[in-house]
């Protein structure tokens, strides 16, 4: 009987090690170039969030929550923020929030165009899809090793890991949203002579926006999770609080970090989820979503479970 | 009328490599045969037809007959596999993308079964859609859209969202959107199939009314034979991707040509399809005299003046009296006359016992007579005796 250990062992470990090292040595300018815009935006958003006074922040978030998601969510986010502050981790929470905000910007800038490309060509989608599958099946911890080797340690490499982990849902949902646009409406666009650009901007994107916003919600949550994990490679924020508690076997400290994370996550989830709920006949162009943020008010939620639809699509 | 749209030997096979399937079809293979051999679905199999300008041309067929495929092959939403589509003599299939877009923007427009309105745009913006794609300035296209909305009776609904409208109203928006572009070829893909029967009738009348104003060339796809008869100047009946019968509504009902087509004609309302001209008999002269000419038969007759205009009616018994005595009684009876284009149902309504119905032309001359037996025979679809169609 042959045993597993009897098989010759490929030196894959070594190959990957060598390969990544080679990349790190030879493509250093590339990785620096990737890092610099992230560094700039992360620095900016951290500075902004840290310099907004606590009461103003509570008000702003409360207002945004109220306008986009109603009174209940607004009350919840105000209370959550006060609790976070009373736990003594306000500054860390803002750092985590800046990681997430920056990640959302980069995910949108990268993810939505990739999603659009995937929706337009089956070939692209067939290439991108397995990559996304692998990315989403990979435990978040595993991202950290190559990131450290290629980008070093600290908040900026941490942000790279966050963006990498959080972009796939947005790509998926953008692709799905565009593909789900009713066939006859796309045909109508073509029949009236829309060129590819008009088709995208007049028909496909506006009608895909509810689904894309659903993807944004997923992206925010993934970014939240990842922003905690990247504390292990030296990113600051709430994750670091938990990590410190863990290192010192200080259960109290770890729990404080944990509670703050949960509150922040729930807050972000509720706010973005309401944005994503499609409203029947509601004008859903990007402008309208922003307008809704301004105008606000509660709207009836009508079931269109984008996730369920994705499952159906996958089946 | 001049020819606008001509389709020559059009084939559509769904699948990447249609050449084998095309060869089989040209060798006489049927749709089922190709599917069994190659697993490829045949949409169109050697379809040719000619649509004259300004008429409503109906393509009628059951689901799967290829009628929607035909509509979509004309503006190339489906790319035909072989054949030619000529729009005013210009080969549509040879156009590059840019030229095709131009044709779609300015010369052909389309109305969809499920309306295909943009749910995120207001009604007025939907009507403007085609003009916007063409790059017409906002103020100008707004004016045009408002004009068309009031033409389809939705003048005050412009600022509503499509979901606030009923099905019939939404299709009016779809119609307005198609008319707004000034394209004079309209492809209508089962536009009224999704509507309630009452609304459907209303929309059909509306379309006929609009057509009197716009005089577009319309290719109208339907699965409803009644609808085809009501709206169409000509009808093509499709089955399995082929045209099995083509002609005017009356000729198709009179001579279906196959059991397949006859099955559709069986249930239709002949009283509303056929007109007086198609069943009338030539008037037989019974008597000439100084007072005029008497024409007619046992059922009744008419006294005509020198210009063949009706002066008086004679009941059946007066005709018998005339035959016995050879003298015209002095009585001037009332009579019933209908125009040549009157439908049989109208003729039947004006029919009175013991009288013949006269058919008069535009100048008021008597051109034929109709008795009860002609009306009944045509409605019951018996071989029409004195019909001259």
């Amino acid at each position: 009987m042959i045993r597993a250990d009897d098989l010759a062992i490929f030196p894959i470990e070594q190959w990957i090690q060598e390969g990544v090292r080679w990349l790190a040595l030879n493509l250093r300018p590339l990785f620096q170039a990737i890092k610099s815009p992230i560094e700039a935006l992360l620095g900016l958003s951290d500075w902004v969030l840290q310099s907004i006074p606590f009461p103003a922040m509570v008000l702003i978030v409360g207002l945004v929550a109220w306008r986009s998601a109603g009174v209940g969510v607004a009350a919840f986010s105000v209370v959550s923020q006060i609790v976070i502050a009373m736990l003594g981790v306000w500054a860390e929470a803002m750092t985590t929030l800046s990681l997430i905000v920056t990640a959302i910007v980069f995910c949108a800038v990268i993810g939505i165009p990739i999603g659009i490309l995937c929706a337009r060509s089956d070939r692209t989608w067939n290439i991108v899809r397995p990559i996304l599958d692998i990315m989403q099946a990979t435990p978040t911890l595993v991202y950290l090793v190559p990131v450290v080797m290629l980008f070093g340690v600290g908040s900026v490499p941490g942000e790279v890991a966050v963006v990498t982990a959080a972009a796939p849902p947005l790509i998926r949902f953008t692709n799905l949203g565009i593909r789900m646009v009713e066939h006859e409406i796309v045909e109508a666009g073509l029949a009236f002579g829309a060129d590819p650009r008009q088709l995208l901007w007049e028909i496909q994107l506006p009608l895909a926006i509810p689904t894309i916003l659903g993807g944004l919600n997923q992206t925010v949550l993934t970014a939240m999770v990842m922003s905690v994990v990247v504390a292990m490679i030296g990113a600051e924020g709430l994750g670091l609080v938990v990590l410190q508690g863990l290192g010192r076997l200080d259960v109290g400290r770890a729990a404080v970090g944990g509670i703050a994370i949960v509150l922040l996550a729930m807050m972000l989830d509720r706010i973005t989820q309401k944005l994503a709920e499609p409203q029947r006949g509601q004008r859903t162009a990007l402008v309208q979503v922003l307008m809704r943020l301004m105008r606000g008010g509660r709207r009836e939620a009508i079931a269109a479970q984008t996730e369920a639809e994705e499952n159906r699509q996958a089946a | 009328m001049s020819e606008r749209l001509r389709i020559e030997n059009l084939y559509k096979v769904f699948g990447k490599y249609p050449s084998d399937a095309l060869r089989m079809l040209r060798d006489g293979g049927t749709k089922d045969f190709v599917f069994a051999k190659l697993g490829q679905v045949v949409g169109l199999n050697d379809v040719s037809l000619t649509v004259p300008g300004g008429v409503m041309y109906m393509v009628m067929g059951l689901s799967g007959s290829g009628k929607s495929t035909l509509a979509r092959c004309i503006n190339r939403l489906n790319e035909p596999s072989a054949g030619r589509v000529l729009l005013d003599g210009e080969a549509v299939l040879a156009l590059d993308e840019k030229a095709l877009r131009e044709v779609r923007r300015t010369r052909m427009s389309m109305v969809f079964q499920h309306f295909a309105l943009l749910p995120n745009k207001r009604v007025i913006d939907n009507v403007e859609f085609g003009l916007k794609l063409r790059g017409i300035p906002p103020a100008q296209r707004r004016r045009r859209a408002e004009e068309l909305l009031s033409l389809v009776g939705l003048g005050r609904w412009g600022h509503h969202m499509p979901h606030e409208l009923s099905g019939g109203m939404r299709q009016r928006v779809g119609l307005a959107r198609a008319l707004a572009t000034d394209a004079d070829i309209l492809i209508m893909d089962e536009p009224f199939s999704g509507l309630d029967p009452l609304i459907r009738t209303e929309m059909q009348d509306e379309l006929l009314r609009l057509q009197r104003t716009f005089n577009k060339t319309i290719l109208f796809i339907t699965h409803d034979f009644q609808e085809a008869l009501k709206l169409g100047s000509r009808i093509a009946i499709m089955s399995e991707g082929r045209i099995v019968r083509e002609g005017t509504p009356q000729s198709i009902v009179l001579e279906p040509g196959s059991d397949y087509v006859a099955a559709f004609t069986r249930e239709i309302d002949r009283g509303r399809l056929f007109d007086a001209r198609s069943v009338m008999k030539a008037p037989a002269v019974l008597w000439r005299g100084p007072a005029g000419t008497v024409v007619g038969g046992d059922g009744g007759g008419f006294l005509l003046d020198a210009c063949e205009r009706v002066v008086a009616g004679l009941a059946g018994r007066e005709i018998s009296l005339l035959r016995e005595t050879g003298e015209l009684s002095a009585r001037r009876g009332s009579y019933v006359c209908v125009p040549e284009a009157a439908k049989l149902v109208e003729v039947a309504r004006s029919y009175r016992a013991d009288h013949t119905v006269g058919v008069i032309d535009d100048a008021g001359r008597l051109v034929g007579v109709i008795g009860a037996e002609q009306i009944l025979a045509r409605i019951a679809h018996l071989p029409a005796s004195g019909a001259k169609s």
Side-chain angles (χ1 to χ4, degrees), chain B residues 71-236:
Chain B
R72 280 167 168 69
C73 278
I74 292 170
N75 61 4
R76 284 172 65 187
L77 288 178
N78 286 349
E79 201 64 51
S81 308
R84 300 215 300 164
V85 174
L86 299 171
L87 172 63
D88 293 325
E90 183 186 4
V92 176
L93 302 187
L95 300 174
D96 62 13
E97 265 185 49
K98 194 159 170 286
L100 174 63
R101 270 202 295 276
E102 200 50 37
V103 165
R104 286 171 173 176
R105 282 178 184 182
T106 56
R107 293 170 68 189
M108 291 181 181
S109 60
M110 193 160 174
V111 179
F112 292 83
Q113 181 178 1
H114 304 292
F115 325 130
L117 301 178
L118 301 175
N120 57 327
K121 290 201 160 94
R122 291 174 307 168
V123 164
I124 188 97
D125 298 318
N126 266 290
V127 178
E128 278 178 32
F129 182 64
L131 301 173
K132 187 177 181 187
L133 294 182
R134 250 163 73 183
I136 308 279
Q140 196 181 331
R141 65 180 192 239
R142 176 58 49 96
R143 261 203 311 280
R144 176 82 180 137
E146 277 166 356
E147 198 179 300
L148 274 150
L149 266 184
S150 46
L151 258 173
V152 297
L154 291 179
R156 289 185 299 165
W157 288 86
H159 295 271
H160 288 258
M161 301 301 287
H163 76 267
E164 298 172 288
L165 274 56
S166 69
M169 289 160 85
R170 280 186 229 182
Q171 195 57 294
R172 283 168 196 262
V173 178
L175 203 54
R177 173 174 70 178
L179 293 172
T181 64
D182 288 322
D184 56 359
I185 300 219
L186 219 58
I187 299 167
M188 305 185 79
D189 185 15
E190 298 204 43
F192 307 147
S193 301
L195 304 175
D196 298 336
L198 269 178
I199 307 289
R200 190 184 312 158
T201 312
E202 189 186 307
M203 289 297 291
Q204 289 164 349
D205 295 337
E206 180 83 6
L207 181 64
L208 287 171
R209 183 179 70 79
L210 288 170
Q211 173 66 353
R212 278 196 290 275
T213 318
F214 286 95
N215 204 31
K216 303 264 180 189
T217 304
I218 300 178
L219 191 88
F220 192 111
I221 312 294
T222 179
H223 63 246
D224 179 353
F225 192 60
Q226 285 281 9
E227 184 169 70
L229 292 178
K230 176 173 176 181
L231 299 178
S233 312
R234 289 191 82 81
I235 302 175

Side-chain angles (χ1 to χ4, degrees), chain B residues 35-54:
Chain B
F35 186 73
K37 286 274 176 194
L38 299 172
Q40 286 182 321
V41 176
V42 176
L44 298 178
N45 182 5
D46 197 11
V47 170
S48 300
L49 55 86
T50 303
V51 183

